[in-house]
Amino acid sequence: MAIVTSKGIDPSVVHSTPRAATRALLAHWQRQEYTRDLLARGAVWEPACGSMAIVRELEAADPPPPRVISSDVYREGAPFAKPLDFLAQTNPPADRINRPRLIITNPPFSLATQFMDIGLRWVDGVPGAALALFLPLGALGGQLRASAIYAQAAPSQLLILSE
């Protein structure tokens, strides 16, 4: 799980993830032996794609992932690839082979805990899979996250960026 800082933005507003943030994360992964081939391991899912900023950076990566899946919770006026409520995807398919190997997103900050929970369910037991979330640094705290999320899967990597 990668967590980066960002200024708080109204969760009802669709905004673009800064290109520099996604590029910094991808560059960081390239420098780490375990994550160097993360994009090549299989499908990548961006479940809160909003304006498609992360998707565009993934598709421009060298090399790009074999497949990028983009979806978004439907919000009036929000551009999206296809409406899909990620928060309703609580039971991933039992077939772990066909699950995305990477879920990367900049979720609405007010839904961070739910995105962590469901994202971890999707990558659980999938060899070489990872969940990467762009969140404000304050998202690390909280009793609920400590008991419901970190007790089962503490963040393995934190990449802290400043704007």
Side-chain angles (χ1 to χ4, degrees):
M1 181 184 315
I3 299 179
V4 299
T5 61
S6 180
K7 292 182 180 176
I9 298 175
D10 181 348
S12 66
V13 174
V14 174
H15 65 281
S16 292
T17 302
R19 290 187 332 202
T22 304
R23 288 178 180 170
L25 179 61
L26 297 176
H28 173 75
W29 284 342
Q30 284 297 321
R31 292 188 300 270
Q32 309 300 315
E33 186 177 334
Y34 174 74
T35 54
R36 189 169 293 128
D37 68 341
L38 189 57
L39 294 181
R41 293 181 189 168
V44 176
W45 185 9
E46 211 296 41
C49 67
S51 66
M52 306 286 283
I54 294 173
V55 171
R56 284 192 296 277
E57 291 303 316
L58 290 169
E59 291 173 341
D62 185 25
R67 186 167 144 231
V68 177
I69 303 162
S70 54
S71 63
D72 200 279
V73 176
Y74 178 75
R75 290 179 285 192
E76 190 67 33
F80 54 82
K82 57 183 172 183
L84 177 66
D85 186 352
F86 181 70
L87 301 179
Q89 308 305 309
T90 57
N91 296 312
D95 176 10
R96 293 181 174 137
I97 300 298
N98 292 315
R99 287 192 209 166
R101 293 291 194 261
L102 171 62
I103 297 174
I104 179 173
T105 193
N106 183 357
F109 299 154
S110 63
L111 302 173
T113 301
Q114 293 95 316
F115 268 79
M116 286 179 191
D117 177 46
I118 292 167
L120 289 170
R121 290 181 200 194
W122 274 79
V123 299
D124 183 44
V126 178
L131 170 65
L133 301 173
F134 288 95
L135 294 170
L137 194 54
L140 286 172
Q143 226 20 59
L144 177 61
R145 290 187 185 121
S147 62
I149 305 296
Y150 304 148
Q152 69 173 1
S156 61
Q157 291 187 16
L158 299 176
L159 179 60
I160 301 173
L161 304 175
S162 61
E163 294 194 63

